[in-house]
Amino acid sequence: MHDMYVQFTLGLAIMLGDSAFHAFKHIVTNWICKSRNKGTTAVISSGTDNHHDHLHRHIPVNAGPLFSDPDHESNDIASTNCCTDTRIRNQNFLNELIPNKVAIVGVVALVAVAAISLPILFPPVKWYYVLCMYAIAGPVAFSRAHVAGLTDMNPTANFGRAAMFVFGAWAGVNHGGVLVALVACGVMMSFVSPASQLMSDLKTGYLTLASSKSIFVSKIFGNMIGCIICPLIFKYYRSHYRGFGGPKSPFSVLMAPYFREGAIAGLQGYKGLPMYAVHFCVAFFIAAIVINIIKELLPEKVSKYVPIPIAMGIPFHVGGYISISFCIGSLILFLWRRKNRATADAYSQIVGTALLCGEGFWVLIESILALVNILPPACATFLPGQY
């Protein structure tokens, strides 16, 4: 189990380092741009009156001979249309930003409610534990949203396990450390997971020109309804099924023993990890920042061959086998762009979406076949050899 915890902590260190760099870069870039342009952002102009003029004024015009290659001309048109489409999406997305005051008031209200209610529900959880949980959950939620925006992966449970080590060791064995660790895991996951889900919804809204404010408000109403319906469903099942959630129950909670073992292991803090595990985490965190700095300083022709730290951190969570799939997909996209870059940029996301949907559809078929006890026609088993 210690090796598993070392594996996901190294992945978390890489992701946090990459997210910290991009957050700092975004803040500095916008601050410099606002100081130079007096209120405009680094993404797109804030004016909307001359929107189409603004778009055409910033679209690059490729000067060339009167009679050019039709394939090259079509690539230029596709590139120009793609640029125009991106600018329209940016303008539509940025027209309905959530005010900073609303975000701050919402977070303060959430923390206040949690700081009052959680110590009442779980006496070992002190109010200052809750404040520290949410103080850590904010930057972690940004990192999780950053990962979701780039990879669509879900390492939320690993962020919760890392929180168990911190707060379980802080509370200690004699002060309900196991319960505190489990509550910290729940708070971290309930704070971080909606951030990643909202990022996925905003990505869909960005591509479909939907209102970002409407998506956010719908998400709030959905969470409010879930806070009412989920406890009622839990109470219904618990009152109608004996041993609900136990190993012999038809509705067993399979991951509960693993989280409890993680909470018990977290009582020792990072001392329970193998030697030099924390040193490696710090080294990987710094390495992610250094790689990003090198990637920013190098020219574009060279920087595209520098690995992305987020992509390096994903195999630590999912497993090394996913690197093979990444390599095959990257090779196909690389060859496609060398043949026709405009077509590859226009249709690569559609192809990727089709592959994801196809794999998800096969999981559904596989589940149906498992329910009717249909076995595959061939099965290979590898046994250890005897010497």
Side-chain angles (χ1 to χ4, degrees):
M1 179 176 288
H2 286 174
D3 294 338
M4 180 185 68
Y5 280 114
V6 171
Q7 180 178 344
F8 79 74
T9 50
L10 294 180
L12 290 181
I14 296 175
M15 293 179 182
L16 291 174
D18 186 272
S19 301
F21 172 82
H22 283 90
F24 180 77
K25 174 188 172 183
H26 177 73
I27 294 172
V28 172
T29 303
N30 278 327
W31 180 77
I32 294 175
C33 188
K34 287 181 179 180
S35 63
R36 289 180 178 178
N37 301 330
K38 297 181 181 181
T40 59
T41 60
V43 180
I44 196 168
S45 176
S46 59
T48 57
D49 296 334
N50 299 323
H51 172 56
H52 295 287
D53 295 338
H54 171 76
L55 294 178
H56 291 292
R57 188 166 58 249
H58 288 79
I59 295 175
V61 179
N62 297 320
L66 181 61
F67 299 98
S68 59
D69 186 6
D71 295 335
H72 179 73
E73 184 178 356
S74 63
N75 291 341
D76 291 342
I77 295 174
S79 178
T80 303
N81 292 336
C82 182
C83 181
T84 305
D85 188 56
T86 300
R87 293 184 184 278
I88 292 175
R89 285 197 175 100
N90 290 343
Q91 186 69 31
N92 179 78
F93 189 80
L94 295 177
N95 277 342
E96 295 187 352
L97 293 177
I98 305 299
N100 292 331
K101 295 181 180 179
V102 176
I104 294 174
V105 170
V107 171
V108 171
L110 176 64
V111 174
V113 172
I116 296 173
S117 60
L118 287 179
I120 297 175
L121 296 174
F122 309 101
V125 180
K126 307 301 181 184
W127 63 270
Y128 48 87
Y129 289 166
V130 179
L131 295 180
C132 293
M133 291 176 192
Y134 280 96
I136 297 175
V140 172
F142 173 81
S143 176
R144 176 66 188 89
H146 179 60
V147 175
L150 292 176
T151 64
D152 286 335
M153 296 294 177
N154 186 15
T156 302
N158 293 332
F159 285 107
R161 293 190 183 100
M164 287 194 295
F165 274 85
V166 176
F167 292 94
W170 186 6
V173 181
N174 299 326
H175 299 85
V178 175
L179 183 58
V180 173
L182 291 174
V183 171
C185 178
V187 169
M188 189 67 64
M189 293 179 64
S190 63
F191 194 97
V192 172
S193 182
S196 61
Q197 295 173 2
L198 181 61
M199 175 59 69
S200 300
D201 295 338
L202 290 176
K203 284 171 60 179
T204 305
Y206 173 79
L207 294 174
T208 58
L209 296 178
S211 171
S212 58
K213 188 177 296 184
S214 299
I215 294 174
F216 182 74
V217 173
S218 302
K219 196 73 176 179
I220 293 177
F221 277 102
N223 289 335
M224 292 173 60
I225 295 173
C227 291
I228 299 174
I229 294 178
C230 290
L232 294 178
I233 295 176
F234 176 78
K235 185 177 181 180
Y236 171 81
Y237 277 96
R238 188 176 182 181
S239 60
H240 286 74
Y241 295 94
R242 292 185 178 180
F244 173 73
K248 297 182 179 180
S249 172
F251 304 99
S252 60
V253 184
L254 299 177
M255 295 301 297
Y258 297 99
F259 279 97
R260 186 175 182 276
E261 291 178 3
I264 295 174
L267 296 178
Q268 301 178 5
Y270 289 103
K271 295 181 180 179
L273 294 174
M275 188 179 297
Y276 303 117
V278 179
H279 300 79
F280 275 107
C281 289
V282 175
F284 275 60
F285 179 86
I286 298 174
I289 298 177
V290 172
I291 291 174
N292 277 301
I293 295 175
I294 294 174
K295 193 176 182 67
E296 292 291 332
L297 296 177
L298 291 177
E300 184 179 359
K301 294 182 179 180
V302 182
S303 63
K304 63 182 180 180
Y305 296 104
V306 178
I308 302 174
I310 286 289
M312 296 169 59
I314 289 298
F316 285 93
H317 297 274
V318 183
Y321 67 91
I322 200 173
S323 301
I324 301 176
S325 303
F326 285 167
C327 287
I328 295 175
S330 300
L331 178 61
I332 294 174
L333 183 60
F334 175 75
L335 296 177
W336 193 1
R337 283 182 172 175
R338 284 184 64 89
K339 185 176 181 180
N340 193 330
R341 186 178 185 86
T343 305
D345 293 339
Y347 294 102
S348 59
Q349 294 183 358
I350 300 175
V351 174
T353 304
L355 292 174
L356 293 175
C357 293
E359 184 178 3
F361 187 71
W362 166 247
V363 172
L364 177 61
I365 298 176
E366 186 180 12
S367 302
I368 295 174
L369 295 177
L371 290 176
V372 296
N373 296 324
I374 296 179
L375 299 177
C379 182
T381 302
F382 299 92
L383 302 174
Q386 297 179 359
Y387 299 97

